[in-house]
Amino acid sequence: MRHILVPEDLTAHEIEAIFAISHDLESKYDAGLRDALLPGRVLALVFEKPSLRTRVSFEAAMAHLGGSSVFLGEDAGFSSSRESIADFGRVLSQYADAIVCRSKAHDTILALAAAATVPVINGLSDYTHPCQALADVYTLKEQVGRVAGLTFTFVGDGNNVARSLAVVCGLLGMRFVLAAPPQYQFDDAFRAHLKALLPNAEIVETTDPVAAVKGAAVVYTDVWASMGQEKERAVRLEAFKPYQVNADLMHHCPQAFFMHCLPARRGEEVTDDVIDGPQSLVVDEAANRMHVQKGLLAWLLAK
Ligand code: CP
Ligand code: NVA
């Protein structure tokens, strides 16, 4: 039994294996075929925050694979005074074959996983978003044919999505560059973690977005104020102003694709002309959430 709580719960070799299954299932899906690899299996989704992509892509993935899913929102009483997280996890494991959890605090997912007797998959926490990063790098691989040696540039907040991407890029031999104001770059604990986990990876942090995008294969951004950071919004909008991904910035990297995990705050971290422009892969990227999660579910659960 394996939990996927952070991207580094997978090795590079395992990520490649998941991508291979995902690619096979995606090709079949495009041809109108749905491989029922998980008949009768049940996926529970326990979400403490809103979601479009993560929720629907997991639910559709399970339906296509011949299984089903149960969505548990606030009324299920997860992480509330109704019952302990441990009791919740032990009991839910009796009904479901795997659990996807989106939590406010990463520790909540860790507590659920500690009690669950079926695999728990992180569907976003304040710390990391592993399924997003897997789909993003898979999307780049589909476009270029390979990813090792490419530069992945993230312009914006060094938060959950950026952390997951730094790890997946490092695992797969890519160069990762984060351009952000100093106070929104990675913290020392995460830097030390990256150094220990990926001693040979090239992970660079800078305050210069123009230098960061030069030579990049991808320019990526995410919202400046994530779910749970609403009170910091005004301060963040001011700090991130020089980091908007707009046509001026993209002129420095005509070869690069543009990516965004979505939802986007158009006119803040990205302008309409970039997100809707010829360099943008945002719709493919969102579509690939489903294909890669199918690969992950099949890899975790299929006999
Ligand atoms: N990118 C992503 O995780 O989107 P949702 O918040 O809509 O799931
Ligand atoms: N960083 C964003 C990602 C949303 C998919 C958030 O946590 O709100």
Side-chain angles (χ1 to χ4, degrees):
M1 206 254 307
R2 291 277 296 272
H3 295 310
I4 310 297
L5 308 178
V6 291
E8 54 271 41
D9 285 334
L10 295 165
T11 65
H13 184 72
E14 289 170 339
I15 293 172
E16 295 292 0
I18 290 164
F19 283 180
I21 304 169
S22 308
H23 179 70
D24 178 52
L25 292 171
E26 184 185 358
S27 310
K28 286 179 176 153
Y29 182 73
D30 289 346
L33 303 170
R34 294 176 187 193
D35 239 349
L37 297 176
L38 300 176
R41 303 293 192 97
V42 175
L43 180 69
L45 296 115
V46 184
F47 278 43
E48 289 189 316
K49 289 178 179 179
S51 171
L52 170 65
R53 282 143 288 267
T54 307
R55 174 184 179 173
V56 182
S57 58
F58 266 114
E59 293 205 21
M62 277 310 279
H64 295 166
L65 292 169
S68 59
S69 55
V70 182
F71 182 80
L72 300 164
E74 264 179 35
D75 56 342
F78 176 62
S79 181
S80 73
S81 55
R82 190 161 189 268
E83 62 185 313
S84 72
I85 293 175
D87 286 346
F88 192 102
R90 276 196 291 263
V91 171
L92 190 55
S93 301
Q94 307 306 308
Y95 314 133
D97 296 285
I99 301 168
V100 177
C101 180
R102 169 166 288 197
S103 70
K104 291 178 183 161
H106 188 67
D107 282 350
T108 304
I109 297 190
L110 298 183
L112 178 65
T117 53
V118 298
V120 174
I121 300 169
N122 181 344
L124 180 146
S125 66
D126 58 348
Y127 176 61
T128 192
H129 196 3
C131 299
Q132 181 68 53
L134 291 173
D136 296 336
V137 174
Y138 174 87
T139 304
L140 182 62
K141 193 174 178 198
E142 266 189 338
Q143 294 293 327
V144 182
R146 65 181 172 93
V147 291
L150 300 181
T151 296
F152 199 110
T153 295
F154 190 105
V155 180
D157 194 10
N159 193 26
N160 46 9
V161 174
R163 282 190 209 101
S164 344
L165 283 166
V167 171
V168 174
C169 289
L171 284 170
L172 297 187
M174 300 173 71
R175 185 168 172 265
F176 182 83
V177 181
L178 171 66
Q183 67 274 33
Y184 297 112
Q185 295 182 2
F186 296 143
D187 63 21
D188 288 341
F190 186 66
R191 278 187 201 124
H193 173 64
L194 283 176
K195 209 158 182 56
L197 178 75
L198 302 160
N200 300 320
E202 202 182 336
I203 297 172
V204 179
E205 294 174 76
T206 173
T207 53
D208 183 346
V210 172
V213 302
K214 285 196 178 142
V218 176
V219 175
Y220 197 109
T221 192
D222 182 12
V223 290
W224 291 339
S226 285
M227 292 182 276
Q229 297 175 334
E230 291 78 8
K231 284 194 185 127
E232 300 169 32
R233 207 174 129 68
V235 176
R236 286 172 160 273
L237 256 56
E238 196 51 38
F240 279 110
K241 249 187 209 158
Y243 295 86
Q244 184 184 65
V245 180
N246 53 32
D248 283 348
L249 185 65
M250 294 305 282
H251 280 145
H252 296 281
C253 53
Q255 76 293 335
F257 294 109
F258 171 74
M259 295 177 79
H260 191 308
C261 53
L262 303 179
R265 289 272 193 164
R266 288 163 174 259
E268 292 182 10
E269 75 275 6
V270 62
T271 52
D272 285 341
D273 51 354
V274 172
I275 196 169
D276 298 327
Q279 290 167 273
S280 177
L281 291 179
V282 296
V283 177
D284 283 348
E285 196 186 342
N288 282 336
R289 292 292 307 276
M290 181 178 77
H291 301 306
V292 174
Q293 287 157 202
K294 269 186 198 170
L296 176 63
L297 290 166
W299 181 81
L300 271 175
L301 301 178
K303 290 223 177 71

